């Protein structure tokens, strides 16, 4: 418990020092406001509560999956990214404590942290609306608990998959194939093993199924995960071509980091999986007919924010002062690397989605994806510069970033929701919104360099 409490204090001090204590403390209030606004909008659009609850579980599980990619970030962080910053997560290198205990405590700390900082405000935002509509307080409390389970499930499953992949990619592919075979051939409903299933039919049996899956995933992750690559594994990285300026250097950095360029595909695959689940399970539960091309293109484009984090992960802003490099050129190079990684990966996810959804209906996603991705890049570069992680807990930047993303995401989601009702108008409108957003993104990318340079001086 002493290590856990120390990590919680360390997390608070780190973010309070970076962003200011009051601004960081206001983060839950911002989440409450954003959650209340989004849930109210969905209610006004006529989306049933079952669909809203299912969507919340999907979003929170996805957040957990993203946090679980600490399995990739952490391997680099423990090796060389932290630089002269010494955090408790790296204490196994200098103190007589096993890294498995450090990792387990770190995951528990993140679970408590996100439960209070994000999931609690989201549950309260839903509670205010649900209680007015006659939902019982017990059901409201159950939602908060199952959201915490969804986050824990996302983190542990993500980390377990990465842990297995670090030992054998073939073993990971075999595990995923076996899981799909059991679900399809055994006619098993996977929802019954998720927190959303527990929320729908709360019982001891459903609770044991969910907690059992979390425990098994966590056990696999802690047993198999290796936090630091050996020199032998690192030497397997094939030689990469030199040149191509900032874009080439960025691509080489990502390729040589843990997970290589495959982590971009992995990250967008998670977005694709959540989108597919929303289109099938949640849409069925809520009686919705969502246009798959608009939905996939929009959500995959929004998901490229993680790619922006990858292409700026190794940057030291002061380093570029030594080079005769204009800020505008720097961010143009980053944009080229960003698109080189994100667009092919997104198209692969769209191609896989065509197995389950009509290719003709997915085609518009090919145009929506790059336009939204460019917009995400422009907004991220303008608001956060080369420090995208600052967006996570800096209230002011997070609010600006969230509002800017919502300006494009909300109308595109609405066009996806009305796609079946207006099959001609909705695609045209969605494409027009995406093109406008992409154009704005290009303009923002052009001005981001000078703005970033002025702010840090």
């Amino acid at each position: 418990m002493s290590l856990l409490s120390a990590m919680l204090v360390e997390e608070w001090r780190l973010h309070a020092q970076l962003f200011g204590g009051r601004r960081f403390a206001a983060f839950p209030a911002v989440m409450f406001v954003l959650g209340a606004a989004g849930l109210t909008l969905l209610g006004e659009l006529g989306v049933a509560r079952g669909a809203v609850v299912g969507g919340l579980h999907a979003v929170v599980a996805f957040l957990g999956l993203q946090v679980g990619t600490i399995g990739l970030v952490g391997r680099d962080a423990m090796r060389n990214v932290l630089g002269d910053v010494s955090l408790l997560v790296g204490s196994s290198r200098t103190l007589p404590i096993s890294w498995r205990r450090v990792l387990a405590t770190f995951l528990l700390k993140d679970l408590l942290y996100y439960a209070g900082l994000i999931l609690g405000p989201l549950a309260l935002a839903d509670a205010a609306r649900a209680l007015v509509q006659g939902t019982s307080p017990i059901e409201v409390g159950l939602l908060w608990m199952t959201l915490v389970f969804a986050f824990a499930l996302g983190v542990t499953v993500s980390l377990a998959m990465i842990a297995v992949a670090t030992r054998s990619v073939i073993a990971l592919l075999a595990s995923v194939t076996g899981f799909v075979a059991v679900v399809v051939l055994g006619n098993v409903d996977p929802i019954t093993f998720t927190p959303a299933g527990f929320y729908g039919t709360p019982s001891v049996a459903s609770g044991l199924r969910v907690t059992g899956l979390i425990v098994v995933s966590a056990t696999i992750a802690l047993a198999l995960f290796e936090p630091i690559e050996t020199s032998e594994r690192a030497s397997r990285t094939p030689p990469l071509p030199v040149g191509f300026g900032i874009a080439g250097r960025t691509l080489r950095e990502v390729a040589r980091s843990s997970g290589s360029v495959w982590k971009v595909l992995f990250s967008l695959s998670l977005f694709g999986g959540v989108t597919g689940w929303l289109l099938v399970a949640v849409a069925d539960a809520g009686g919705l007919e969502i246009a798959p091309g608009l939905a996939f293109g929009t959500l995959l484009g929004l998901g490229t924010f993680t790619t922006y984090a990858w292409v700026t992960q190794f940057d030291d802003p002061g380093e570029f002062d030594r080079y005769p490099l204009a800020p505008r050129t720097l961010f143009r190079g980053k944009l080229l690397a960003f698109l080189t990684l994100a667009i092919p990966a997104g198209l692969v996810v769209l191609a896989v989605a065509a197995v389950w959804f009509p290719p003709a209906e997915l085609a518009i996603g090919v145009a929506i994806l790059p336009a939204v991705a460019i917009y995400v890049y422009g907004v991220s570069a303008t608001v956060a510069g080369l420090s995208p992680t600052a967006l996570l807990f800096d209230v002011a930047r997070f609010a600006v970033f969230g509002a800017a993303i919502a300006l494009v995401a909300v109308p595109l989601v609405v066009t996806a929701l009305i796609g079946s009702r207006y099959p001609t108008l909705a695609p045209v409108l969605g494409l027009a919104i995406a093109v406008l957003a992409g154009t704005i993104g290009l303009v923002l990318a052009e001005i981001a360099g000078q703005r970033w340079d002025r702010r840090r001086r």
Side-chain angles (χ1 to χ4, degrees):
M1 291 300 292
S2 59
L3 180 59
L4 176 62
S5 59
M7 280 189 171
L8 288 170
V9 172
E10 178 190 65
E11 191 82 14
W12 165 263
R13 287 178 176 174
L14 177 65
H15 290 96
Q17 183 178 4
L18 287 173
F19 312 126
R22 291 181 180 178
R23 292 171 68 171
F24 182 50
F27 189 83
V30 173
M31 289 303 304
F32 176 82
V33 172
L34 291 177
L39 293 170
T40 301
L41 176 63
L42 291 174
E44 293 298 322
L45 289 173
V47 180
R49 176 165 175 75
V52 172
V53 170
L56 273 177
H57 282 91
V59 170
V60 170
F62 174 75
L63 175 64
L65 288 167
Q66 286 294 317
V67 172
T69 55
I70 185 67
L72 295 175
V73 176
R75 300 174 83 200
D76 292 317
M78 290 183 181
R79 189 175 61 217
N80 55 15
V81 172
L82 293 177
D84 59 356
V85 177
S86 180
L87 300 179
L88 289 172
V89 71
S91 57
S92 63
R93 293 174 299 183
T94 55
L95 300 177
I97 180 172
S98 72
W99 64 262
R100 295 185 194 281
R101 182 186 170 192
V102 172
L103 178 61
T105 308
F106 182 83
L107 293 177
L108 180 58
K109 181 268 298 179
D110 261 9
L111 179 61
L112 296 174
Y113 217 69
Y114 281 87
L117 208 62
I118 296 178
L119 306 185
L122 283 179
L124 286 175
D126 175 72
R129 175 169 167 266
L131 290 174
V132 170
Q133 295 178 341
T135 305
S136 72
I138 294 178
E139 189 174 339
V140 171
L142 178 64
L143 176 62
W144 183 76
M145 184 175 71
T146 54
L147 287 180
V148 174
F149 282 168
F151 179 78
L153 183 63
V155 172
T156 55
V157 167
S158 177
L159 193 56
M161 291 175 67
I162 293 171
V164 174
T166 59
R167 301 301 181 113
S168 170
V169 175
I170 295 176
L172 175 64
L173 294 175
S175 301
V176 173
T177 304
F179 173 78
V180 173
V182 169
V183 170
V184 175
L185 300 178
N187 197 24
V188 176
D189 184 4
I191 300 297
T192 58
F193 290 86
T194 66
F198 179 41
Y199 176 85
T201 55
S203 64
V204 175
S206 59
L208 288 175
R209 282 196 295 268
V210 174
T211 54
L213 187 57
I214 294 173
V215 170
V216 169
S217 301
T219 303
I220 293 173
L222 293 175
L224 300 181
F225 181 66
E226 290 289 347
I228 300 176
E229 286 182 318
T230 65
S231 57
E232 180 182 356
R233 288 177 64 85
S235 65
R236 295 177 185 174
T237 304
L240 299 170
V242 297
F244 304 101
I246 291 297
R249 168 184 151 163
T250 301
L251 292 174
R252 287 189 290 274
E253 288 174 340
V254 175
R256 288 169 176 161
S257 64
S258 296
S260 190
V261 297
W262 300 109
K263 59 192 171 192
V264 178
L265 179 60
F266 176 77
S267 176
L268 289 180
S269 296
L270 297 180
F271 271 99
V274 170
T275 304
W277 185 73
L278 286 171
L279 288 171
V280 176
V282 176
D284 285 347
L288 303 174
E289 293 185 14
I290 306 174
L294 287 167
F296 270 102
T298 300
L299 294 183
L300 288 175
L302 296 176
T304 57
F305 170 73
T306 57
T307 307
Y308 185 79
W310 298 129
V311 299
T312 56
Q313 181 184 359
F314 300 97
D315 290 328
D316 176 8
E319 173 190 3
F320 296 105
D321 292 337
R322 299 195 292 270
Y323 305 140
L325 184 68
R328 179 178 295 178
T329 305
L330 169 63
F331 278 83
R332 283 177 180 171
K334 289 292 179 183
L335 174 60
L336 182 57
F338 168 84
L339 294 176
T340 303
L341 291 170
I343 303 306
L347 293 178
V348 168
V349 176
L350 271 175
V352 174
V355 176
W356 288 275
F357 300 94
E361 296 183 16
L362 286 173
I364 191 173
V366 176
I368 298 286
L369 164 63
V372 176
I374 292 174
Y375 180 76
V376 169
Y377 177 90
V379 172
S380 303
T382 303
V383 177
L386 296 180
S387 304
T389 53
L391 292 174
L392 294 178
F393 298 114
D394 184 335
V395 170
R397 295 189 193 186
F398 181 82
V400 173
F401 179 79
I405 293 299
L407 282 176
V408 170
V410 171
L412 282 176
V413 169
V414 170
T415 58
L417 290 172
I418 65 172
S420 60
R421 199 180 310 170
Y422 305 99
T424 303
L425 176 62
V428 174
L429 191 58
L431 192 58
I433 294 171
V435 170
L436 177 61
T439 305
I440 294 173
L442 287 175
V443 174
L444 291 176
E446 282 294 297
I447 66 175
Q450 293 183 349
R451 186 175 185 276
W452 166 77
D453 196 43
R454 285 196 305 270
R455 288 181 60 183
R456 69 190 187 90
R457 291 184 184 279

